[in-house]
C-alpha cells in the first residue's frame, strides 16, 4: 500500500534562484525504511517538509506544479494539523523542536497529547512507555532545556513518537549524538519500522543505512538522482563521489582490491560482507 | 542576570498550594484597584500585604531582590519627572531647590503615589508568577474556558524570559571569545551589551519559524478537544477565598459609588 506519493512535485523557495524541488516523482510503500542521501542544499529537507505539509503551508515559496499525497490526503488541501496525526518529523537541531510548553520533559512530551485530545487516563501510560523506550524516564522531572544535546534530541524523538504517527521522518537526527546515542536512535527506529511504521531518514551516516535501510533515494539539485537498494547505491562509488558523498571505507577497500583483480564479487557495504570477501581474497 | 528569578520557584507553602484561580481572582482585584483607586494609603497597604504574602509563600528574598530591580528605576524616574514637572501645574510649596531647579512637594507626592501604584501591580503579578506552577495555571485557565492557545501564550511567554537570558549569556561568551571587552569602566561595560542586541533579537525572530514547525508537528492547530496532563481540584478554602475577593471587590465598588 502506497502511503507517500509525489507526482511531479515542483517547489520554489522565494529567497533562492532555482527550484528547490524540480519535479519529484516517487512512491513509498507502507512499512518501508527509506534513507535519503545527498549533499547540502540538494532538496532533502524540502522533500521532508513536503511530506509534513510545512511545504507549502509554512515555508516561504510557491508550488510550481504537481502534488504530494500522504495516506490519501493531498498536502495542498490539508492543514498541517490534519497531517500531524499521520506524520511525525524529528529535526536536526534538538533545541528547535522543543516547544517550550512544558517546564519538565514529561510536560513537553505531554504537549502533543493534550493538543490532539488524548484522554488523561491514557496520557500517563503513553508518556511512561515512550520515555522508558528512549531512556529518559529517570529524567522526566528535569527541564528539557537543561539536559545534554543528545538527551534533548531524545526528548524531541519521544515527543513525536508519543503521538504514534504512521510515518516518521527524521532529518539528520543523530548530528548531535555520540556513537552510542546514534546506535540507540537507529536501533529504536528499526524497531518502530518492524512494528509497521514507515521511516524516512536523512543521514550522512552511510554505515547505518547499509545495515538498516530497505531503500535509498539519492538527491541532488532538487531531483532524485537514483532510487534503489542500499547495495545498488552504496556500492556505486563513482555515483556517490559525483554527488559529493564519501563512499564507505569498506566499499573503497573492495574497490581497491577489485582494481588488482583480487575482488570478484559485488563490492561490500558492511563490515560483515567485507570480512567474508577478504577471506576469499586471502585463500 | 542569573540572580533575578523570573519563573516559578518550587517551594512547599500555603500560597503554592492554592488553586491558581484563587490567585487569579486576587490579582484581578489588585488590577481593579490599580485602574480605579487614587488612594496612596491603599496602595501602600496592598504593597505591604503582598510582601507579607511573599514571605508566607517562602519566596520573600527572591521577591524583594526582583522587585527592587524592577521597581527601583520606576520610583526614581517617577519622583524625578513628577517632582520637576508637577502634573498639577505651578505649586507654591517647594520641597527642594537647587539653583533654578525646583522639586515641588505636590509633584514629589504624586511621584511617590505613582510609584506605589505601579509597585502594587507589578508585585502582585510577580508573586503570582513565582508561586504558581505554569502547567497548573494553564490547566485551571482552561477549566474556566480560556482558549488553549491563550494558555500556551501565557505559559510560553513566562518561559521565554529565562531562555532568552541563557541565550544572551551564550552569545556574550562567544563574543568574548572573539575579543569583545566586557570588563572595565561602566561605559565600557554598557557598551559591551550593544552588540548583544542584534543577535539576540534577530535570533529570536528567526526561531519563530522553527518554533512554529515544532508546534504544528505536535498538533497545535488540531481541532480535537484539548485535554490536560494535570487535574486541578478546587477545595472549599479555595472557593471561600475566591468569594472573599469578590465580596471585597463589591464593597470597594459600592464605596466608590456612594463616597
Amino acid at each position: 500500500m502506497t502511503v507517500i506519493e509525489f507526482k511531479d512535485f515542483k517547489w520554489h523557495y522565494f529567497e533562492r534562484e532555482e527550484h528547490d524541488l524540480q519535479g519529484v516523482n516517487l512512491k513509498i510503500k507502507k512499512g518501508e525504511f527509506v534513507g535519503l542521501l545527498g549533499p547540502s542544499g540538494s532538496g532533502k529537507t524540502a522533500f521532508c517538509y513536503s511530506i509534513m505539509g510545512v511545504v507549502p503551508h509554512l515555508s516561504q515559496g510557491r508550488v510550481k506544479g504537481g502534488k504530494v499525497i500522504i495516506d490519501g490526503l493531498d498536502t495542498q488541501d490539508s492543514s498541517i494539523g490534519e497531517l500531524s496525526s499521520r506524520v511525525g518529523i524529528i529535526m536536526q537541531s534538538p533545541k528547535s523542536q522543543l516547544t517550550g510548553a512544558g517546564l519538565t520533559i514529561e510536560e513537553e512530551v505531554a504537549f502533543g497529547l493534550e493538543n490532539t485530545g488524548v484522554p488523561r487516563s491514557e496520557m500517563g501510560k503513553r508518556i511512561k512507555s515512550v520515555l522508558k523506550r528512549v531512556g529518559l524516564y529517570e529524567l522526566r522531572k528535569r527541564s528539557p532545556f537543561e539536559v545534554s544535546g543528545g538527551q534533548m534530541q531524545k526528548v524531541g524523538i519521544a515527543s513525536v513518537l508519543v503521538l504514534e504517527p504512521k510515518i516518521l521522518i527524521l532529518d539528520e537526527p543523530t548530528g548531535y549524538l555520540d556513537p552510542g546515542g546514534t546506535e540507540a536512535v537507529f536501533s529504536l527506529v528499526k524497531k518502530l519500522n518492524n512494528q509497521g511504521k514507515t521511516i524516512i531518514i536523512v543521514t550522512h551516516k552511510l554505515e547505518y543505512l547499509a545495515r538498516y535501510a530497505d531503500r535509498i533515494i539519492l538527491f541532488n539539485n532538487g531531483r532524485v538522482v537514483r532510487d534503489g537498494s542500499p547495495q545498488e547505491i552504496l556500492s556505486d562509488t563513482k555515483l556517490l563521489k559525483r554527488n559529493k558523498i564519501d563512499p564507505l571505507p569498506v566499499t573503497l577497500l573492495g574497490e581497491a582490491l577489485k582494481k588488482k583483480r583480487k575482488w570478484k564479487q559485488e563490492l561490500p557495504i558492511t563490515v560483515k560482507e567485507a570480512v567474508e570477501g577478504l577471506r576469499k581474497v586471502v585463500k | 542576570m542569573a540572580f533575578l528569578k523570573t519563573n516559578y520557584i518550587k517551594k512547599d507553602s500555603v500560597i503554592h498550594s492554592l488553586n491558581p484561580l484563587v490567585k487569579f481572582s486576587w490579582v484581578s482585584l489588585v488590577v481593579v484597584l490599580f485602574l480605579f483607586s487614587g488612594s496612596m494609603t491603599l496602595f501602600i497597604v496592598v504593597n505591604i500585604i503582598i510582601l507579607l504574602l511573599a514571605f508566607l509563600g517562602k519566596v520573600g528574598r527572591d521577591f524583594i531582590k526582583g522587585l527592587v530591580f524592577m521597581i527601583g528605576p520606576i520610583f526614581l524616574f517617577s519622583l524625578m519627572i513628577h517632582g520637576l514637572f508637577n502634573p498639577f501645574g505651578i505649586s507654591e510649596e517647594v520641597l527642594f531647590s537647587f539653583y533654578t531647579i525646583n522639586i515641588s512637594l505636590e509633584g514629589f507626592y504624586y511621584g511617590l503615589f505613582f510609584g506605589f501604584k505601579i509597585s502594587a501591580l507589578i508585585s502582585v503579578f510577580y508573586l503570582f508568577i513565582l508561586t504558581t506552577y505554569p502547567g497548573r495555571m494553564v490547566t485551571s485557565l482552561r477549566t474556566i474556558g480560556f482558549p488553549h492557545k491563550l494558555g500556551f501564550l501565557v505559559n510560553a511567554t513566562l518561559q521565554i524570559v529565562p531562555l532568552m537570558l541563557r541565550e544572551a549569556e551564550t552569545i556574550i561568551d562567544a563574543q568574548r571569545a572573539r575579543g569583545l571587552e566586557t570588563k572595565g569602566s561602566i561605559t565600557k561595560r554598557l557598551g559591551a551589551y550593544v552588540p548583544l542586541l542584534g543577535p539576540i533579537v534577530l535570533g529570536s525572530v528567526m526561531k519563530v519559524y522553527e518554533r512554529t514547525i515544532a508546534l504544528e508537528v505536535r498538533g497545535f492547530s488540531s481541532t480535537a478537544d484539548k485535554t490536560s496532563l494535570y487535574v486541578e481540584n478546587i477545595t472549599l478554602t479555595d472557593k471561600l477565598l475566591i468569594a472573599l475577593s469578590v465580596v471585597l471587590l463589591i464593597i470597594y465598588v459600592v464605596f466608590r459609588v456612594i463616597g
Side-chain angles (χ1 to χ4, degrees), chain B residues 8-253:
Chain B
Y8 174 71
I9 303 172
K10 197 181 172 188
K11 285 275 162 66
D12 188 22
S13 84
V14 193
I15 306 283
H16 282 69
S17 63
L18 287 175
N19 186 301
L21 291 179
V22 176
K23 288 180 247 182
F24 255 121
S25 69
W26 285 84
V27 168
S28 316
L29 181 64
V30 175
V31 172
V32 171
L33 293 182
F34 173 81
L35 290 175
F36 299 107
S37 177
S39 154
M40 175 139 98
T41 333
L42 181 68
F43 283 120
I44 293 177
V45 171
V46 169
N47 269 297
I48 292 171
I49 293 175
I50 296 169
L51 186 67
L52 291 177
L53 288 176
F55 278 98
L56 187 65
K58 298 180 186 168
V59 292
R61 283 185 62 182
D62 287 307
F63 177 79
I64 291 176
K65 262 194 256 173
L67 208 58
V68 167
F69 186 81
M70 287 187 281
I71 292 174
I74 295 177
F75 256 101
L76 202 70
F77 281 106
S78 164
L79 288 178
M80 259 168 48
I81 289 172
H82 292 302
L84 284 173
F85 310 101
N86 182 4
F88 304 107
I90 316 264
S91 160
E92 299 290 314
E93 303 224 34
V94 172
L95 178 76
F96 178 78
S97 183
F98 184 74
Y99 290 109
T100 54
I101 301 168
N102 292 324
I103 302 265
S104 73
L105 185 66
E106 250 180 343
F108 188 82
Y109 182 80
Y110 185 74
L112 216 54
F113 161 72
F114 190 72
F116 278 116
K117 187 173 166 170
I118 293 226
S119 163
L121 188 72
I122 293 182
S123 55
V124 78
F125 272 107
Y126 193 43
L127 181 63
F128 178 75
I129 290 166
L130 290 184
T131 57
T132 314
Y133 190 74
R136 287 186 62 190
M137 177 179 66
V138 174
T139 307
S140 49
L141 272 176
R142 273 189 212 162
T143 55
I144 55 165
F146 265 79
H148 98 113
K149 282 188 182 166
L150 199 71
F152 171 76
L153 202 70
V154 174
N155 195 358
T157 312
L158 291 178
Q159 311 221 7
I160 210 90
V161 178
L163 282 183
M164 271 178 102
L165 290 179
R166 208 174 298 160
E167 200 91 331
E169 268 165 36
T170 315
I171 294 170
I172 210 154
D173 279 345
Q175 288 178 341
R176 239 180 239 153
R178 291 183 222 149
L180 180 80
E181 288 283 342
T182 53
K183 299 256 152 61
S185 65
I186 287 184
T187 39
K188 212 170 199 178
R189 277 171 197 232
L190 285 177
Y193 282 94
V194 176
L196 190 67
L197 295 174
I200 195 166
V201 173
L202 284 179
S204 306
V205 172
M206 274 151 71
K207 275 197 200 92
V208 169
Y209 179 63
E210 289 181 333
R211 185 61 69 91
T212 318
I213 296 178
L215 285 174
E216 288 297 345
V217 170
R218 310 284 188 79
F220 189 60
S221 59
S222 158
T223 46
D225 284 334
K226 312 295 173 191
T227 47
S228 276
L229 178 65
Y230 299 103
V231 244
E232 273 306 316
N233 295 317
I234 189 151
T235 62
L236 185 65
T237 327
D238 290 330
K239 282 180 190 162
L240 286 175
L241 284 169
I242 293 176
L244 183 63
S245 76
V246 176
V247 169
L248 282 177
L249 182 69
I250 293 169
I251 292 175
Y252 175 72
V253 171

